[in-house]
Amino acid sequence: MNYGFETLAIHAGQDPDPRTGAVVPPIYQTSTYAQDAVGAPRLGYEYSRSGNPTRDALQECLAAIEGGRVGLAFASGLAAEDALIRTVCAPGDHVIIPDDAYGGTYRLFAKVAQRWGLTFTAAKISHPDAVRAAVRPGQTKIIWVETPTNPLLGIADIAALAGIAHETGALLAVDNTFASPYLQQPLGLGADVVIHSTTKYLGGHSDVVGGALITADAGLGAELAYHQNAMGAINGPFDGWLTLRGIKTLGVRMDRHCDNAERIAEYLTSHSAVAQVLYPGLSEHPGHETAAKQMRRYGGMISFRAAGGEAAALRICERTRLFVLAESLGGVESLIEHPGRMTHASVAGSALEVPADLVRLSVGIETADDLLADLEQALG
């Protein structure tokens, strides 16, 4: 039976415990497992780096809600990214990344993978022709996409980039963290693998760190699973259990995130202290039509540029009361940050440096009027 998203989020991989009938799957907080004979582990479990029932439940759920066949849970989003790079690429290979990629992703390529012999090009992923021009035939192994991007909220046409990737022998990897599987499902649009920081909307409560890879290709999934075990940056059982708990309410939370963000984006567009609002739900956003085509709604992330420059942006970040000044995103509580000095400090001085007057909001699920009032006093 083809179940709806919310049903899968609550039930996929989460049948009641067969021994006790517990409705919520237990936390298997164990490192090792008794074997019935030498080399004969029960149900295939022998050591929790290689397999754990709680992590398996999460991985099955992740695959289901992204429309994939294989889901893999990692210790963080960057651990998932590293496993993908080392599975697909070898020294001398090339990757295309967004020209406004997340600072941690840029750091992984520029400071870690590049020393290992991988090269990369930052391209404007909202322009398929720019991506095509950046491809190095026979050398480009991954076209790496964020959509929406972090922190400039750029939108990539997933189907168009999938076509380019497959024409040129590359894989299309889509970081779906900002959208979440509820708002966007890249595998159905032609992507080969989806990346998540499950710390964000999937966990949803700012109390757990994790990452994930999901693919519809069983062969690629097996290769990724091999590297997950061989490299060892796995998601622990308690972290996995917390993430599963968060996923159950993902759909209803995302609807509220979107409701609040849409109101705040409209408010910011008319405020004299704001020079520009970056939100794909606005009709004037250059990626609005593409987002409308491939997303259910436009998400809970908003960036804007302060009319008074960097000093004004810093002042706004420091004056909010409900919007907590903190890194990360996707939790039930609203957050505000200055990307240039916080999450994207690692791209300072590079071609990916973000504007100094940029402010990023992770709009939570509080009462919208209270959030608007907080921004009003901070902007004033």
Side-chain angles (χ1 to χ4, degrees), residues 8-213:
L8 291 173
I10 293 168
H11 293 286
Q14 301 170 78
D15 292 335
D17 179 52
R19 188 171 69 86
T20 65
V23 172
V24 176
I27 304 170
Y28 287 89
Q29 193 69 44
T30 185
S31 60
T32 193
Y33 305 82
Q35 300 192 17
D36 294 324
V38 175
R42 300 174 193 173
L43 303 176
Y45 293 110
E46 54 188 13
Y47 186 61
S48 274
R49 172 174 42 76
S50 303
N52 176 281
T54 310
R55 188 166 76 245
D56 283 352
L58 172 59
Q59 293 181 154
E60 183 177 339
C61 185
L62 288 167
I65 62 175
E66 275 288 8
R69 295 180 65 183
V70 179
L72 298 166
F74 293 83
S76 68
L78 282 168
E81 293 185 9
D82 189 49
L84 175 59
I85 293 168
R86 295 181 190 274
T87 299
V88 174
C89 300
D93 286 339
H94 174 252
V95 176
I96 296 169
I97 68 169
D99 65 355
D100 61 337
Y102 164 55
T105 298
Y106 171 79
R107 183 177 59 232
L108 177 62
F109 280 100
K111 305 299 183 181
V112 179
Q114 193 162 249
R115 293 178 60 190
W116 174 61
L118 192 69
T119 60
F120 69 96
T121 300
K124 190 171 288 296
I125 52 92
S126 58
H127 292 66
D129 288 343
V131 174
R132 187 185 296 277
V135 171
R136 300 179 185 175
Q139 190 179 4
T140 301
K141 300 301 182 184
I142 305 175
I143 297 176
W144 192 288
V145 175
E146 298 172 15
T147 182
T149 60
N150 180 8
L152 298 179
L153 282 300
I155 299 295
D157 187 325
I158 296 171
L161 295 184
I164 294 170
H166 300 154
E167 287 170 17
T168 58
L171 296 182
L172 181 67
V174 178
D175 186 332
N176 203 29
T177 298
F178 265 32
S180 85
Y182 180 69
L183 298 183
Q184 179 173 266
Q185 296 196 326
L187 296 177
L189 297 169
D192 297 287
V193 61
V194 171
I195 307 155
H196 280 283
S197 170
T198 58
T199 309
K200 313 304 194 296
Y201 286 109
L202 289 166
H205 294 78
S206 301
D207 56 7
V208 64
V209 173
L213 298 173

Side-chain angles (χ1 to χ4, degrees), residues 264 317 319-326 333-336 360-364 366 370-372 374-375:
I264 288 171
C317 289
R319 289 186 59 175
T320 56
R321 297 165 185 162
L322 283 179
F323 281 85
V324 179
L325 179 60
E333 63 287 306
S334 294
L335 304 179
I336 189 170
R360 192 189 74 181
L361 303 177
S362 175
V363 179
E366 301 95 336
D370 294 335
L371 296 176
L372 289 166
D374 188 34
L375 288 172

Side-chain angles (χ1 to χ4, degrees), residues 347-379:
V347 300
S350 77
L352 280 72
E353 184 170 3
V354 299
D357 59 3
L358 192 72
V359 175
R360 192 189 74 181
L361 303 177
S362 175
V363 179
I365 65 172
E366 301 95 336
T367 302
D369 287 341
D370 294 335
L371 296 176
L372 289 166
D374 188 34
L375 288 172
E376 176 67 25
Q377 64 83 25
L379 290 165

